[in-house]
Amino acid sequence: SPLQMKHIKTSIAHDKFSESEIIVMERQILQTINFDIIYISTFDYICLILTDFYICSLTTINTFNIKQHLMSIERVCIYLSILICYNEHLTPYSNALKAVCCFILSFHILKSKRDYNITNTEQHVIKSWIGFILKRIPHSKHDITKLYNEIITFYNEAKVVHTISPNLNKRFTL
């Protein structure tokens, strides 16, 4: 999640600088590094992973007729990627790891819906794809499980979920 000025001023600068002084220092830092910052967000990783799968696995997607499931997973992943921005405890984790955990949780959320229909074969194909992604990220099973549990706890406890969910259901078919 983005740093808030209040947090920077009180927790990082310990009230030794005014907001305007902090902004001047931020500008100096950015000019020093020539604004050369590359940042790939959780959302960017989600889009990258999905695009790669759509391009490289079109035959599989068509053979097993899973495009609708992938679109549902994508919508829930995007929702989760926005939601987790509101939890500062998740900031230290890599965005690639957060994206993968969003995929896993999205699949579990969809499977838990009573009206969500997915065959065993379709589940197997999607689980295999998620397993393929998991093997390619440089994180331990412990890190993945820990972050997954933190995200699902936040998802279950977040009051904003109750406000946003009905609107999501009106706009999208999950």
Side-chain angles (χ1 to χ4, degrees):
S1 64
L3 289 173
Q4 302 297 318
M5 179 57 77
K6 179 182 174 187
H7 178 73
I8 294 171
K9 187 174 182 231
T10 58
S11 299
I12 297 173
H14 304 288
D15 290 318
K16 292 183 181 177
F17 301 99
S18 68
E19 288 184 17
S20 60
E21 289 173 315
I22 292 170
I23 291 170
V24 167
M25 288 184 266
E26 285 179 335
R27 188 171 289 120
Q28 288 173 342
I29 292 169
L30 289 171
Q31 287 171 342
T32 300
I33 64 172
N34 199 25
F35 291 88
D36 191 15
I37 299 174
I38 297 173
Y39 179 80
I40 301 174
S41 69
T42 303
F43 173 79
D44 294 328
Y45 276 107
I46 288 168
C47 293
L48 177 67
I49 292 167
L50 279 167
T51 301
D52 179 66
F53 188 64
Y54 284 132
I55 291 170
C56 297
S57 304
L58 190 58
T59 303
T60 301
I61 292 167
N62 290 334
T63 300
F64 294 102
N65 196 27
I66 59 170
K67 185 169 183 163
Q68 190 62 37
H69 298 298
L70 293 175
M71 290 170 59
S72 295
I73 289 170
E74 178 180 10
R75 286 190 291 271
V76 176
C77 274
I78 291 169
Y79 169 71
L80 290 171
S81 74
I82 293 167
L83 181 67
I84 63 178
C85 289
Y86 294 99
N87 186 333
E88 63 187 36
H89 301 292
L90 302 178
T91 303
Y93 292 99
S94 80
N95 288 327
L97 179 59
K98 287 189 268 189
V100 171
C101 289
C102 284
F103 278 111
I104 298 167
L105 181 54
S106 295
F107 185 58
H108 291 159
I109 289 169
L110 290 169
K111 281 187 5 179
S112 71
K113 290 182 153 290
R114 242 180 266 187
D115 59 346
Y116 188 73
N117 296 316
I118 185 168
T119 67
N120 288 337
T121 303
E122 292 165 341
Q123 282 188 52
H124 176 73
V125 171
I126 293 171
K127 284 180 182 178
S128 297
W129 170 60
I130 291 172
F132 175 81
I133 297 167
L134 284 170
K135 289 178 186 172
R136 274 142 187 83
I137 62 166
H139 295 282
S140 69
K141 187 174 183 177
H142 171 76
D143 290 342
I144 295 165
T145 304
K146 182 179 176 197
L147 178 58
Y148 174 88
N149 288 331
E150 287 186 45
I151 293 172
I152 198 164
T153 299
F154 185 65
Y155 169 80
N156 286 330
E157 292 175 354
K159 291 178 183 174
V160 72
V161 171
H162 303 296
T163 305
I164 295 173
S165 287
N167 293 330
L168 264 179
N169 288 330
K170 288 178 190 172
R171 289 193 186 153
F172 303 112
T173 305
L174 295 178

